[in-house]
Amino acid sequence: MNSQNTNQALLRVEDLKMHFPIYRGVLQRQVGAVHAVDGISFEVHRGETLGLVGESGCGKSTTGRAILQLYKPTAGNVIFDSVDLVSLKHEEMRKTRRKLQMIFQDPYASLNPRMTVYDIVAEPMMVHNTAVGKEIQERVEHLLELVNLNPAFASRYPHEFSGGQRQRIGIARALALQPSFIVCDEPISALDVSIQAQVVNLLEELQEQFNLTYLFIAHDLSMVRHISKRVAVMYLGVIMELADRDDLYHSPLHPYTQALLSAVPIPDPIADSRRRRVILEGDVPSPVNPPSGCRFRTRCPIAEKICAESRPDFREATPGHFVACHLAK
Amino acid sequence: MPDLLLDIKGLETQFKTPEGVVHAVNGVSFGLKEGETLGVVGESGCGKSVTMLSVLGLIPSPPGKVVAGEAFFSGQDLLKMTNEEIRHVRGAQIGMIFQDPMTSLNPVLTIGRQLEEPLMLHIGMTKNQAQERAAELLSLVGIPKAKDRLGDYPHQYSGGMRQRVMIAMALSCSPQILIADEPTTALDVTIQAQIMELVKRLREELGMSIVWITHDLGVVAGIAHRVAVMYGGFIIEEASVNSLFANPSHPYTLGLLGSLPRVDEVEHGRLFSIEGQPPVLYQKPTTCPFAPRCKWVMERCWKENPMLEPISTEHQVACWVDTKTGRSR
């Protein structure tokens, strides 16, 4: 990854692995592991949005959580602002975490139904002692205004709000500690189409205002194209391709990326009928026992012998365009 | 007008809730021609699912009630049928598939048993005939080694395969109409592409008519011949698929299309977003239900609810404003 300018990287992930052990029997011996994330490396530059896309079970959410050390990674380093988060002790990590925040997918499950909006947004500041007394109240009001919610609603409970408004509360909470890096884990997938655009526009405005860096995890390739500067495509625990947005969408190199892009429906019947569609056969294999060599070879339309024999390197095919495929040009 | 297979007129459905009566469907009329695929689009709560469930007599009553309307299917009004009569239409002449294949399948019965049941019930096949036909149906929907997999339970199938089973089940009695309620929403894009391809193939082979309910305008563009857009329990725009996407005329349709980023092009700046939220209708709207969110709103919109009016031979819209000129129609 030499050509990427390391100075501008806010976050660098190096050969990150996250395996979840499987225990069986009376003695609870480990009989295997779910290879949720299996050796991925990438950088997120200061102030950019890196889109992380893939289908369910590809490890994209696990990656986000492992970066924030919500899971202890099995191997690898997560370097944030030149500190390796994996080596930090619990208390040090807790302090560092105020710089790294998360916005969750389900605005119904990620807000405590017994807490008022005020308490939800104020809690991070109280836990981390970043504000006291009157300050907290002013800050909560300010945060709610930032996400376009009426501060007068602060005493209400989450069930009184719609899905889009709840997601705004979650965003206000994530901003409470003035983080520099936010993992957005499918923040709009649970929302209606007309509400999705509202939340995405808000995220973009906040990014400009506070120079935020996002890791935007999603399965909606159209939305990722809109919001990201660069995009990484994951499949079965591995990054298959990473490139600048337009590069990736215009000239995808990996057969998986090509198939994925061709499967996305376009709201235009004429353009849609002109497209060449690659229909992948079968389903994603189990991450407990992933295929040898290239993970994608069992569904790949162009797989050859070498694909089963060795795992392709994640190489830089053209400047800034990385791909893990033996056969891609 | 050519003969309509299904002719729905003035359908109204309400639900009694502790907060009051919710007017979910408020006078919906449409027809379905032979061999045609009609896409019904709208956001959660717009009445798209309730419309079709009402027609099939599947509204739980209480709290739901179909209060007005007619639904003619081969000369008979489905809404006037007894439970026993409509049970013979459902499954036999009108097949259905739903969003979540896991909850629509019985987890403690084998796939084979669940496929055979309607065959024995509706067509009166013997156990052996039904078994044979079940295996045929599974291979028709592209499940490999179909015969061997009849003894499997639903959890042994992946999400995409379960949806294939649902389709096999819906098609088992060779229905004239297939009603698909968000059949690909819970699936990944590559699996969604497989299912859409499958439905298109079966539609040609079997020559059936389809009502495809979805929130995804991209999916509709890829599969429907004609589209009805719903909002607040009304059809607010109805057109052939090409006319709708080439010439969207209702402010809501325009807003939805504008708020969707596309995978095949980059738009600059912010997404167009529709402010506010969809309504919950405790009263039957007497004004335009979209008026509070509409940027073209005029005085008349607050006084009268527009009805569907033709703007060309294959395009109808319910709006007082000509969105091309911004003036009254």
Side-chain angles (χ1 to χ4, degrees):
Chain A
M1 304 210 107
N2 295 329
S3 79
Q4 289 189 16
N5 186 349
T6 41
N7 294 332
Q8 50 176 229
L10 176 66
L11 181 89
R12 197 162 78 243
V13 173
E14 295 173 346
D15 204 24
L16 182 74
K17 287 188 185 160
M18 188 65 231
H19 296 175
F20 296 98
I22 302 169
Y23 300 105
R24 283 270 161 75
V26 186
L27 299 174
Q28 290 291 297
R29 266 189 251 261
Q30 191 181 337
V31 294
V34 178
H35 299 71
V37 176
D38 211 12
I40 62 169
S41 305
F42 61 89
E43 287 178 350
V44 190
H45 302 161
R46 225 173 268 277
E48 81 165 345
T49 299
L50 177 72
L52 187 58
V53 290
E55 298 179 275
S56 11
C58 72
K60 53 191 193 300
S61 289
T62 306
T63 303
R65 284 163 188 244
I67 287 172
L68 298 189
Q69 307 298 304
L70 299 176
Y71 300 136
K72 199 83 205 151
T74 313
N77 301 316
V78 177
I79 296 156
F80 175 77
D81 233 353
S82 60
V83 180
D84 185 2
L85 301 182
V86 179
S87 67
L88 288 185
K89 294 210 180 62
H90 184 76
E91 188 52 31
E92 292 168 327
M93 185 57 221
R94 210 176 68 85
K95 285 188 186 137
T96 313
R97 200 170 273 134
R98 73 178 72 152
K99 292 278 148 215
L100 302 104
Q101 291 289 320
M102 188 154 182
I103 299 166
F104 296 91
Q105 170 169 6
D106 186 346
Y108 292 82
S110 57
L111 301 178
N112 188 334
R114 289 160 200 271
M115 286 167 76
T116 62
V117 171
Y118 179 87
D119 292 335
I120 290 171
V121 178
E123 192 182 30
M125 294 184 270
M126 302 210 233
V127 170
H128 285 274
N129 273 322
T130 58
V132 279
K134 190 92 179 123
E135 245 181 305
I136 295 187
Q137 198 185 335
E138 283 165 11
R139 182 106 182 97
V140 170
E141 280 173 14
H142 176 63
L143 285 163
L144 290 178
E145 274 166 13
L146 271 180
V147 298
N148 307 327
L149 283 177
N150 187 343
F153 294 166
S155 56
R156 297 195 182 179
Y157 287 88
H159 74 265
E160 297 172 73
F161 293 89
S162 68
Q165 290 172 322
R166 281 182 221 210
Q167 203 53 295
R168 290 170 192 273
I169 299 169
I171 294 172
R173 175 178 60 184
L175 292 175
L177 297 171
Q178 296 174 291
S180 47
F181 179 72
I182 300 181
V183 173
C184 309
D185 188 4
E186 304 249 17
I188 52 162
S189 344
L191 306 176
D192 262 323
V193 183
S194 71
I195 311 295
Q196 286 187 353
Q198 295 175 4
V199 172
V200 164
N201 287 346
L202 174 67
L203 286 172
E204 288 181 321
E205 279 157 29
L206 293 170
Q207 177 168 46
E208 279 163 25
Q209 200 172 345
F210 299 107
N211 192 29
L212 296 168
T213 306
Y214 292 145
L215 179 67
F216 192 89
I217 300 171
H219 65 267
D220 179 346
L221 285 113
S222 318
M223 201 53 98
V224 166
R225 175 169 199 170
H226 172 79
I227 200 171
S228 310
K229 184 166 175 293
R230 293 184 308 138
V231 178
V233 180
M234 268 186 99
Y235 183 80
L236 212 55
V238 180
I239 294 185
M240 292 294 180
E241 188 162 1
L242 191 161
D244 273 351
R245 167 185 74 180
D246 293 342
D247 210 8
L248 187 99
Y249 282 81
H250 275 300
S251 36
L253 297 175
H254 200 287
Y256 177 61
T257 316
Q258 290 165 359
L260 200 59
L261 288 175
S262 84
V264 180
I266 317 181
D268 178 346
I270 293 158
D272 195 66
S273 64
R274 271 203 296 259
R275 290 201 301 168
R276 194 181 63 91
R277 191 156 273 155
V278 188
I279 303 279
L280 290 178
E281 300 287 320
D283 292 297
V284 183
S286 158
V288 176
N289 199 359
S292 66
C294 174
R295 296 286 165 95
F296 183 57
R297 70 174 166 84
T298 52
R299 298 171 79 197
C300 183
I302 60 166
E304 287 178 14
K305 200 159 148 255
I306 185 176
C307 303
E309 285 161 359
S310 71
R311 181 166 160 181
D313 292 331
F314 191 51
R315 63 192 164 86
E316 193 166 6
T318 57
H321 194 142
F322 295 83
V323 64
C325 178
H326 290 299
L327 307 170
K329 298 281 173 337
Chain B
M1 198 183 270
D3 274 354
L4 293 173
L5 197 53
L6 184 66
D7 191 3
I8 296 170
K9 285 178 187 157
L11 185 75
E12 289 184 37
T13 305
Q14 303 174 350
F15 288 90
K16 274 211 177 78
T17 70
E19 286 82 33
V21 175
V22 173
H23 296 251
V25 180
N26 298 309
V28 161
S29 307
F30 66 86
L32 181 69
K33 288 175 220 145
E34 211 149 312
E36 178 185 55
T37 299
L38 174 74
V40 181
V41 199
E43 297 179 279
S44 0
C46 73
K48 58 191 191 300
S49 294
V50 173
T51 299
M52 292 323 294
L53 291 175
S54 304
V55 170
L56 295 170
L58 287 174
I59 292 290
S61 172
K65 194 168 181 224
V66 180
V67 292
E70 296 168 316
F72 283 100
F73 172 69
S74 19
Q76 284 177 292
D77 187 352
L78 295 173
L79 302 179
K80 293 213 171 63
M81 286 187 178
T82 63
N83 281 341
E84 187 60 21
E85 286 167 337
I86 199 155
R87 206 159 62 81
H88 284 288
V89 175
R90 267 197 322 251
Q93 288 154 293
I94 303 181
M96 295 154 290
I97 43 179
F98 297 102
Q99 174 170 353
D100 188 346
M102 193 61 213
T103 49
S104 314
L105 288 168
N106 187 332
V108 299
L109 297 181
T110 63
I111 296 288
R113 168 95 192 268
Q114 298 187 56
L115 273 169
E116 289 151 23
E117 194 182 86
L119 294 169
M120 300 197 286
L121 196 75
H122 288 300
I123 311 185
M125 284 188 175
T126 65
K127 176 87 186 156
N128 280 341
Q129 287 171 323
Q131 232 162 21
E132 200 133 302
R133 177 81 178 128
E136 270 174 38
L137 285 165
L138 275 195
S139 43
L140 180 75
V141 295
I143 289 187
K145 291 187 239 147
K147 218 167 192 141
D148 302 339
R149 303 221 51 175
L150 285 176
D152 285 357
Y153 289 88
H155 74 268
Q156 290 166 289
Y157 279 51
S158 68
M161 283 166 69
R162 279 185 218 133
Q163 199 55 284
R164 286 168 191 267
V165 171
M166 292 307 298
I167 295 174
M169 214 179 272
L171 298 182
S172 59
C173 302
S174 316
Q176 292 161 273
I177 302 176
L178 176 70
I179 292 175
D181 190 355
E182 304 254 11
T184 59
T185 305
L187 306 175
D188 277 316
V189 279
T190 61
I191 309 296
Q192 167 170 289
Q194 288 176 0
I195 298 289
M196 284 174 66
E197 231 24 60
L198 171 70
V199 171
K200 283 192 211 167
R201 176 171 65 88
L202 293 173
R203 163 174 90 186
E204 308 227 319
E205 284 176 21
L206 310 173
M208 58 187 169
S209 308
I210 300 175
V211 180
W212 188 288
I213 301 168
T214 180
H215 68 275
D216 189 334
L217 282 159
V219 168
V220 155
I223 203 156
H225 302 125
R226 209 152 51 85
V227 185
V229 184
M230 286 191 69
Y231 189 85
F234 295 94
I235 294 179
I236 50 104
E237 185 159 9
E238 199 236 278
S240 71
V241 70
N242 288 336
S243 181
L244 185 90
F245 285 91
N247 189 14
S249 300
H250 194 283
Y252 177 64
T253 317
L254 282 164
L256 273 188
L257 282 167
S259 64
L260 279 180
R262 284 171 57 155
V263 77
D264 61 335
E265 47 185 56
V266 195
E267 58 300 307
H268 299 281
R270 300 271 185 266
L271 294 171
F272 181 86
S273 74
I274 309 175
E275 294 308 317
Q277 293 147 37
V280 180
L281 302 166
Y282 290 117
Q283 273 141 28
K284 186 174 170 180
T286 49
T287 62
C288 174
F290 189 63
R293 302 175 77 189
C294 184
K295 63 173 188 182
W296 277 279
V297 69
M298 308 186 304
E299 221 182 299
R300 191 171 185 188
C301 308
W302 300 106
K303 291 184 183 145
E304 287 172 84
N305 189 9
M307 291 293 114
L308 277 178
E309 299 285 348
I311 53 168
S312 76
T313 48
E314 46 182 31
H315 204 135
Q316 300 185 76
V317 63
C319 183
W320 296 125
V321 185
D322 183 344
T323 46
K324 291 232 164 45
T325 60
R327 272 187 247 122
S328 171
R329 269 185 209 286

